[in-house]
Amino acid sequence: MRTKGYVPYLFLAPALGLFAVFMAYPIIYSFLLSFQTGAGKHMSFTGLSNYHRLFSDELFWTALKNTFAIMVIQVPLMLFLAILLAAGLNSVKHLTGLFRVSFFMPAVTSLVAYSIIFSLMLMGDGIINQFLTAVGAGAVPWLSNPIWAKAALILAMTWRWTGYNMVIYLAAMQNISESLYEAANIDGATRVRQFFSITIPQLKPVILFTAILSTIGTLQLFDEPYTLTKGGPSDATLTIGMYLYQTGFRFYDFGYASTLAYVIVVLIAVLSFIQFKVTGDEE
Amino acid sequence: MRTSSAIRSLILYLAMLIGAAVSLFPFYWAAIAATNESGKVFAKPPVLVPGSKLIANVVHLNDAIGIGRVLFNSIYVVVIYTVLSLLICTMAGYAFAKFTFLGRNAMFAVFLLSMMVPYHALVIPLFKMMAAWGWLNTYQALILPNLAYPFAIFLMRQNMLAVPDGMMEAGRIDGVSEWGLFTRIILPSVKPALAATAIFLFMFQWNSFLWPLIAVQNKEMYTLPVALSSLFGLSRIDYGQVMAGVTIATAPVIVFFLLLQRHFISGMLGSAVKG
């Protein structure tokens, strides 16, 4: 296209300027901080000592284990539910607008607001336990038992994010060619068979995309444990994100907190790489 | 054969209705709790009809956190943020979608990669920067850091790729300025994407918690989520008051979403598939 060479740069300038100041610079700054100790303005370089500290820091390992335990259960559970919902929504003919809006609604609320709602619903004599008692399942110590507290986080996160992923899957499903299903119908394949042999394989790139997004989200988990469980009971829901916040803004140990931030950066990079590799090899 | 397919579709509708009820129930329950007195939150059997305590709860909420001021902070920040960010990200998306220039692919790749950087890696340096500039407890601290939002840039670029170049060529031949091409040809053709991105940015800022929690320590400058969380941390919680706050924090986004959901979902469809 014939335009003056500087034109695109003018359109980009505000975004680039802001990006440089509030994103690129902090990323580098934070990297440098991860090699420093001290408080406030009195920071000094101490090489890898923060990184050494990780290995003997039990709280860090607890936080890491908690984060992974939540991630390994929550992400597949939610993505599978989202695909089921999308498939259901794709085959109903009435009320589609209502369903779509209802399922997506949780994704638009504030993390703090929904965490508060869930913490009240999940309390010992809260409405969820009343319901469970009424159907004969018995009350569950959602917020006071280390395992159930993780389940509470998983439940809340699944409620909030399933519809969001469902919309992405629905979009992708509507792009799958009808002729694949017609051919399968002629071959006499059942609906369940079609779901596993056509729908899921066709969605693979989108599943990868949502899996990476959800993994990144879980590794940064902060708002929910901060509000819902406060990291407890006895650190059972302390996530790396929360540990970082406590280190940085309760103890003002900015150096070590930056090290924790870079642990999250590296974990995200490694896990995304593995996810790309795993699905890439099969194609 | 026909009856079995009728039963199957009945089960399908039933399952979808249960799913919809599960999605919506917590909102309904919160709104009900906001109109009842504190103790009703744990009443047996549960209270599921509106009470008459809404005004009292809002008054208590106002006594506790100054809801008027907090609401003003949230609205002020979110409106300015959404307008500025939409403009900046749309301009950047346009440059990436419609021009070839030196460094384009590298810059776009950097923007995309930065989406993978956790916000936690930024907050400590951002906090130190704001402290050094004397910007803690200011509106600019809440607005500026996230204006160049990579996902919004990505969303706008994806949607602009679909606008035919011929339209721009025709405009150029007619002597339309570069800015005119952008505002009179490109922007009208991506209206649904603009609406989708606007909702996205609005929701992001309205619901944002970690950064406001760090950047603002003065109660006068609290945004809604921070004020709510401060209320919830107290040892003796007035649940009616908290749920009134939760409802006030949630209602605007839901209204905004319901009004624009058609655009929002089509905008998501546009980007997710091509992405």
Side-chain angles (χ1 to χ4, degrees):
Chain A
M1 219 173 280
R2 286 167 290 106
T3 46
K4 299 215 170 61
Y6 60 82
V7 169
Y9 297 106
L10 288 183
F11 278 100
L12 265 179
L16 277 183
L18 287 159
F19 185 84
V21 176
F22 295 110
M23 195 103 186
Y25 175 68
I27 289 173
I28 297 164
Y29 189 177
S30 160
F31 186 65
L32 296 177
L33 272 175
S34 77
F35 298 103
Q36 300 176 37
T37 52
K41 290 198 173 88
H42 310 285
M43 304 292 290
S44 55
F45 272 90
T46 53
L48 290 169
S49 77
N50 284 331
Y51 289 89
H52 279 301
R53 185 175 154 188
L54 286 173
F55 290 98
S56 52
D57 181 355
E58 276 179 35
L59 266 186
F60 164 71
W61 291 106
T62 306
L64 192 68
K65 268 184 245 164
N66 291 340
T67 308
F68 268 91
I70 293 166
M71 186 173 79
V72 166
I73 298 172
Q74 199 268 335
V75 174
L77 173 76
M78 169 184 70
L79 297 185
F80 187 67
L81 270 178
I83 295 178
L84 279 187
L85 274 185
L89 197 50
N90 211 17
S91 40
V92 297
K93 290 182 185 63
H94 307 282
L95 302 175
T96 46
L98 172 84
F99 288 139
R100 206 159 55 176
V101 169
S102 313
F103 295 148
F104 196 77
M105 199 96 100
V108 307
T109 44
S110 126
L111 292 161
V112 171
Y114 102 85
S115 302
I116 291 178
I117 298 176
F118 267 76
S119 74
L120 294 189
M121 296 202 313
L122 289 168
M123 275 185 188
D125 41 4
I127 190 162
I128 291 183
N129 274 343
Q130 286 192 40
F131 173 78
L132 291 175
T133 314
V135 298
V140 165
W142 292 107
L143 303 174
S144 54
N145 169 294
I147 291 170
W148 286 111
K150 286 193 190 75
L153 282 185
I154 290 170
L155 191 76
M157 290 162 71
T158 304
W159 176 80
R160 186 171 198 271
W161 292 109
T162 302
Y164 176 85
N165 290 294
M166 181 211 69
V167 170
I168 297 177
Y169 290 142
L170 188 63
M173 276 180 192
Q174 287 168 353
N175 270 25
I176 300 176
S177 160
E178 259 318 302
S179 62
L180 288 174
Y181 293 104
E182 283 161 15
N185 271 333
I186 293 166
D187 292 344
T190 63
R191 295 292 290 271
V192 176
R193 184 68 208 269
Q194 290 180 24
F195 176 74
F196 284 104
S197 304
I198 300 176
T199 312
I200 300 237
Q202 288 287 317
L203 288 182
K204 220 159 88 188
V206 186
I207 294 174
L208 174 68
F209 171 72
T210 52
I212 292 174
L213 278 189
S214 309
T215 304
I216 293 177
T218 314
L219 285 174
Q220 300 183 52
L221 193 60
F222 172 75
D223 301 30
E224 288 94 333
Y226 183 90
T227 314
L228 194 60
T229 55
K230 303 189 173 60
S234 53
D235 297 323
T237 54
L238 182 78
T239 58
I240 313 181
M242 243 195 108
Y243 187 43
L244 182 153
Y245 173 81
Q246 290 180 353
T247 310
F249 296 98
R250 203 161 292 162
F251 304 113
Y252 293 98
D253 188 347
F254 289 147
Y256 192 51
S258 299
T259 309
L260 292 169
Y262 266 85
V263 170
I264 304 181
V265 172
V266 170
L267 284 176
I268 287 175
V270 170
L271 288 178
S272 308
F273 179 77
I274 293 173
Q275 279 168 332
F276 268 118
K277 261 284 184 244
V278 166
T279 38
D281 282 349
E282 287 173 28
E283 269 160 25
Chain B
M1 191 63 198
R2 184 164 292 171
T3 49
S4 88
S5 88
I7 289 170
R8 198 157 28 189
S9 96
L10 189 70
I11 292 171
L12 179 62
Y13 275 95
L14 215 60
M16 299 297 272
L17 281 172
I18 292 170
V22 169
S23 292
L24 296 180
F25 180 76
F27 295 111
Y28 176 76
W29 186 76
I32 291 299
T35 67
N36 281 300
E37 54 203 277
S38 188
K40 293 277 176 70
V41 167
F42 301 115
K44 287 177 195 178
V47 176
L48 293 176
V49 289
S52 56
K53 293 280 189 279
L54 178 62
I55 292 168
N57 285 335
V58 174
V59 169
H60 292 155
L61 181 69
N62 191 44
D63 293 341
I65 57 170
I67 185 67
R69 171 75 198 200
V70 165
L71 203 54
F72 172 81
N73 290 343
S74 273
I75 293 172
Y76 183 80
V77 167
V78 88
V79 168
I80 295 183
Y81 173 82
T82 304
V83 172
L84 285 181
S85 182
L86 189 63
L87 179 70
I88 289 164
C89 295
T90 307
M91 282 166 60
Y94 173 59
F96 283 128
K98 289 295 168 204
F99 294 93
T100 33
F101 53 90
L102 186 69
R104 181 186 70 173
N105 294 344
M107 279 192 257
F108 189 62
V110 168
F111 271 114
L112 284 187
L113 271 180
S114 74
M115 284 202 273
M116 313 239 299
V117 175
Y119 203 65
H120 298 85
L122 304 177
V123 289
I124 286 162
L126 282 176
F127 175 79
K128 293 192 79 161
M129 284 158 69
M130 298 295 159
W133 300 345
W135 276 18
L136 292 176
N137 295 308
T138 63
Y139 289 121
Q140 64 265 35
L142 294 172
I143 294 170
L144 283 174
N146 296 303
L147 277 181
Y149 199 93
F151 184 64
I153 295 172
F154 173 74
L155 212 62
M156 290 319 301
R157 173 190 176 263
Q158 294 303 96
N159 280 281
M160 284 175 177
L161 285 176
V163 181
D165 288 342
M167 284 170 70
M168 292 170 60
E169 284 300 342
R172 284 209 176 94
I173 290 163
D174 291 345
V176 181
S177 71
E178 287 296 332
W179 184 252
L181 288 175
F182 176 64
T183 55
R184 298 196 346 237
I185 295 176
I186 297 291
L187 291 189
S189 358
V190 293
K191 262 191 197 153
L194 283 173
T197 312
I199 307 178
F200 183 84
L201 292 167
F202 176 97
M203 289 187 327
F204 165 77
Q205 184 62 258
W206 182 263
N207 294 335
S208 153
F209 179 59
L210 178 59
W211 177 239
L213 181 71
I214 290 165
V216 164
Q217 280 117 21
N218 178 348
K219 282 193 169 200
E220 287 277 288
M221 290 298 295
Y222 275 179
T223 58
L224 254 165
V226 180
L228 280 179
S229 120
S230 76
L231 206 56
F232 195 65
L234 299 176
S235 52
R236 206 181 149 276
I237 303 167
D238 177 341
Y239 295 109
Q241 160 190 317
V242 169
M243 293 313 250
V246 166
T247 306
I248 291 172
T250 311
V253 219
I254 290 183
V255 170
F256 201 59
F257 169 67
L258 287 179
L259 289 176
L260 294 169
Q261 55 94 6
R262 204 176 297 266
H263 293 306
F264 188 60
I265 290 174
S266 75
M268 289 265 296
L269 302 188
S271 71
V273 177
K274 279 175 239 141

